[in-house]
Amino acid sequence: MTAGKPSRRPRLLAASAAGAMALAGTVVTALPAAAAPPGCDHRTNDTVTKLLRCVDADGVTEHLKALQQIADANGGTRASGTPGFDASADYVQQRLEAAGYTVTRQSFDFPFFQLTSDSFGITAPTARQLTSGTDYATMSYSGSGTVTEAPVVPVDVVLPPPADPAAITSGCETSDFAGFPAGAVALVQRGTCSFAVKVANAQAAGAVAAVVFNSGQTDVAGEDRTVLLQGTLGEPGATIPAVGTTFALGQELSAPGTRVSLSVDALSEVRQTANVLAELPGRTAEVVQVGAHLDSVPEGPGINDNGSGSAAVLEVAEALEKAQLERTVRFSWWGAEESGLLGSTHYVESLTPEEVGRITAYLNFDMVASPNYARFIYDGDGSTFPAPEGYVTDRSAAIETLFEEFYDSQGLTYEDTAFDGRSDYQAFSGAGVPSGGLFTGAEDVKTPEQAARYGGTAGEAFDPCYHQACDDIGNVDSEVLDQNVDAIGYATLTLAAAGQ
């Protein structure tokens, strides 16, 4: 899942069948847990009871172990644009083809970035080494390079900061760099233009690096702009190192006589990746689309984020292959989600309006087995969180209700999570496709109330290994994984079997 997960507020929900019945025409009844019976590979799982007997955590874990082995063989990562991702896509395709599907690979170019190492230190007037992730953060798509004891030159900075950050135009115009000494480090302040514009202007003026510090306001639409600035340049192109810092460090660096040493070693270039797609043909032209992103971040194997969602969707696809349902089911594994939801966006933008209109629902599964989990359902009825215009509709509300009904039937508690476009449903919701899905939490911290409700540890992240090397095969909870693969199977089959 992309960085910056939605904030959550707990909400205990009661079952409300009306919305899902209007959408799907059926309601699940409680199903006892049991091992998959013999013959699952050969029978037609065209009812909820049959399907849920044939999908379980053991089957999903088989896929997760394969993804872990792929990461282990490819530098510990399955990031788009790396051999680890290509091997992951090959694995999904091979499993689908063995089950009888015809598979499509939709290739596309995307901006690839991988930071290998960085360092940053003040050398004058008082030498001290700075800490990555605390004092500074290398910007995505930074250039590489090493700077040794270079002078820092402030460029049109405003100190103390104005109340309105829109009043800061530091580095936004080439004229800001008039007289800038080549070979110096440009110090620019967050303001009205993009970081990419500031860095490009600094580079053109002969700067050997650019340092962008936060603008200094404590409350800009609820945002603290004094904290560490973690930014992106949006795409490859910069040839000089670019880092973001806190406002306090920016103030310190603006003092006359300041010198720094800075080094960034990174890959920033355009690469190719792909989406993997397979269809279960239905009796009508209407489509239920089910998706999960297949890529990890470069820092780790991504077994929870998002091997868990990818493997659960693959488990359901294999179990449904012989079913003939009213609606076509289109299974999707997205590339380059971690680079900005690029695969799903590319896919939706490649569709005609008529093709988009045939998609009656999109179900998204991004991190469904977090080790310190909660059971989150995207807030498709807008009852707890604000959502972008057009996201919340009667049909998105019905999808939410469908998942609520399933959890209720199993005696499981759950709560809303923000439906704000921070995963692959964004492009679908933005195109008017009713969407929904499940999530078990990322870097946000579990509250004592949530620990009482779900178990686990209050005061720790839902996924303590989020976007780290430790997001490996040991970073999943098999109990919630088993519950969620059933929920995924139930929602998919219910929506696809609906004749209305």
Side-chain angles (χ1 to χ4, degrees):
M1 193 171 199
T2 51
K5 297 296 190 295
S7 59
R8 298 138 194 59
R9 292 195 299 274
R11 172 188 164 210
L12 287 175
L13 296 167
S16 173
M21 290 180 68
L23 181 66
T26 186
V27 179
V28 70
T29 56
L31 295 166
C40 275
D41 290 342
H42 306 291
R43 79 182 191 187
T44 300
N45 295 312
D46 55 1
T47 69
V48 167
T49 301
K50 289 180 183 179
L51 178 63
L52 269 59
R53 293 291 193 192
C54 290
V55 295
D56 59 23
D58 289 344
V60 181
T61 300
E62 177 186 349
H63 302 315
L64 294 179
K65 288 178 178 178
L67 295 178
Q68 179 69 64
Q69 290 171 352
I70 288 169
D72 291 343
N74 290 281
T77 186
R78 299 184 307 100
S80 271
T82 71
F85 178 85
D86 295 340
S88 298
D90 289 343
Y91 173 78
V92 171
Q93 180 169 349
Q94 290 162 6
R95 291 294 302 232
L96 290 168
E97 289 177 342
Y101 286 94
T102 299
V103 178
T104 301
R105 296 273 277 265
Q106 183 188 42
S107 298
F108 60 95
D109 292 337
F110 79 106
F112 176 84
F113 179 77
Q114 183 173 3
L115 177 64
T116 303
S117 65
D118 59 8
S119 65
F120 189 12
I122 300 173
T123 59
T126 302
R128 69 183 179 96
Q129 192 64 27
L130 302 172
T131 302
S132 179
T134 302
D135 301 311
Y136 74 96
T138 297
M139 290 193 168
S140 298
Y141 308 108
S142 167
S144 296
T146 299
V147 175
T148 303
E149 296 190 14
V152 176
V153 176
V155 177
D156 196 25
V157 302
V158 184
L159 297 173
D164 183 2
I168 302 171
T169 62
S170 171
C172 292
E173 305 292 339
T174 56
S175 58
D176 294 342
F177 292 86
F180 185 87
V185 172
L187 178 68
V188 293
Q189 190 174 6
R190 181 182 185 181
T192 53
C193 64
S194 70
F195 305 138
V197 168
K198 296 174 187 289
V199 173
N201 286 338
Q203 180 176 302
V208 291
V211 177
V212 186
F213 69 100
N214 218 336
S215 54
Q217 297 79 19
T218 57
D219 186 2
V220 178
E223 180 185 3
D224 183 353
R225 292 202 176 187
T226 66
V227 300
L228 177 62
L229 179 61
Q230 297 178 292
T232 178
L233 303 183
E235 60 184 8
T239 59
I240 62 173
V243 301
T245 75
T246 64
F247 173 72
L249 183 58
Q251 283 186 302
E252 181 180 351
L253 296 175
S254 69
T258 300
R259 288 181 171 268
V260 298
S261 290
L262 189 155
S263 176
V264 171
D265 182 13
L267 287 170
S268 180
E269 60 192 19
V270 175
R271 292 189 178 181
Q272 190 174 82
T273 191
N275 299 319
V276 181
L277 303 156
E279 283 195 1
L280 178 66
R283 297 185 182 94
T284 72
E286 291 185 332
V287 174
V288 173
Q289 189 137 4
V290 183
H293 76 86
L294 185 58
D295 61 320
S296 73
V297 293
E299 291 78 7
I303 300 303
N304 185 40
D305 183 15
N306 182 38
S308 63
S310 292
V313 171
L314 181 56
E315 171 82 346
V316 170
E318 288 181 322
L320 276 177
E321 191 276 330
K322 292 179 173 60
Q324 185 172 7
L325 306 173
E326 285 299 309
R327 291 172 173 148
T328 293
V329 182
R330 185 175 299 148
F331 296 101
S332 319
W333 290 264
W334 308 119
E337 188 269 358
E338 297 290 4
S339 299
L341 314 177
L342 299 182
S344 53
T345 300
H346 174 78
Y347 169 79
V348 173
E349 290 179 349
S350 72
L351 301 177
T352 66
E354 292 75 19
E355 288 170 331
V356 171
R358 286 198 293 269
I359 305 173
T360 61
Y362 172 68
L363 305 180
N364 191 71
F365 303 105
D366 191 350
M367 303 178 67
V368 296
S370 301
N372 195 31
Y373 68 86
R375 296 183 200 90
F376 292 115
I377 304 173
Y378 292 128
D379 185 19
D381 63 3
S383 59
T384 305
F385 297 95
E389 184 176 357
Y391 278 36
V392 173
T393 66
D394 289 345
R395 293 182 71 81
S396 68
I399 293 170
E400 179 186 4
T401 301
L402 196 62
F403 288 114
E404 294 171 3
E405 289 175 348
F406 178 80
Y407 282 150
D408 282 328
S409 77
Q410 306 300 303
L412 301 173
T413 54
Y414 49 89
E415 58 192 83
D416 285 353
T417 190
F419 188 47
D420 56 4
R422 295 188 185 181
S423 190
D424 285 305
Y425 61 87
Q426 182 191 77
F428 289 89
S429 294
V433 176
S435 301
L438 303 176
F439 175 51
T440 52
E443 81 277 33
D444 284 351
V445 171
K446 177 176 274 188
T447 66
E449 294 78 13
Q450 289 169 326
R453 190 175 308 141
Y454 303 107
T457 306
E460 292 187 4
F462 296 108
D463 183 352
C465 288
Y466 171 66
H467 282 190
Q468 298 177 55
C470 58
D471 185 10
D472 56 22
I473 195 66
N475 191 50
V476 296
D477 184 280
S478 59
E479 180 180 31
V480 78
L481 180 61
D482 194 51
Q483 294 162 357
N484 279 340
V485 71
D486 282 352
I488 293 166
Y490 165 68
T492 301
L493 180 55
T494 302
L495 291 172
Q500 57 196 54

